[in-house]
Amino acid sequence: MLEFLKTNITRDQSKDTGMAMTLILLLLNRWFRHDAWLMGALAALVIAMAVPQVYRPLAVVWFGLSHLIGMFMSRIVLSAVFFGVVMPIGLLQRLYGKDPLNLKAFKAGSTSVMKERNHRFVAADLEKPY
């Protein structure tokens, strides 16, 4: 169940987590205007630079949760693109009777519906391929 927490955390990732904690403490200092947050941010920064492995347990949770959120969000975004862009275009093409894949001709007969293109390539075709 907690497979996403079983990741190998490098020293740099631990340092990045320490820097993120420093940023969070600085933002809390800005929000609450209390010097304790600033001292905590300074201590977090010194620890992140000197002994970043202190942040390793927190980095495991931090990167594990980001991986888990990434798995779900990619599916959500791709589903939104499919149902918001691809499916409406397909429905509009079906509504207006377009058949860009020649599926009706393919189902109606036993011959190929591929268009034959007899073209001899010359050097000018390769100059601007796009």
Side-chain angles (χ1 to χ4, degrees), residues 13-113:
Q13 287 175 325
S14 295
K15 191 182 295 186
D16 289 344
T17 302
M19 297 299 279
M21 293 305 113
T22 302
L23 178 64
I24 289 170
L25 290 171
L26 285 172
L27 290 173
L28 287 172
N29 177 49
R30 176 89 175 159
W31 183 269
F32 293 113
R33 305 257 188 229
H34 197 272
D35 288 338
W37 296 110
L38 188 60
M39 292 300 128
L42 183 62
L45 180 63
V46 169
I47 292 171
M49 291 294 123
V51 192
Q53 289 303 96
V54 169
Y55 290 106
R56 189 181 184 295
L58 189 60
V60 168
V61 175
W62 187 268
F63 283 99
L65 287 177
S66 68
H67 177 70
L68 185 67
I69 290 170
M71 284 180 6
F72 286 111
M73 287 308 294
S74 65
R75 288 181 174 93
I76 290 170
V77 169
L78 288 175
S79 296
V81 167
F82 177 78
F83 289 113
V85 176
V86 176
M87 194 174 82
I89 290 173
L91 290 175
L92 285 173
Q93 283 187 344
R94 185 175 288 185
L95 181 68
Y96 289 115
K98 301 283 184 183
D99 189 19
L101 294 177
N102 293 329
L103 292 176
K104 290 179 185 174
F106 178 72
K107 290 179 182 178
S110 61
T111 60
S112 176
V113 293

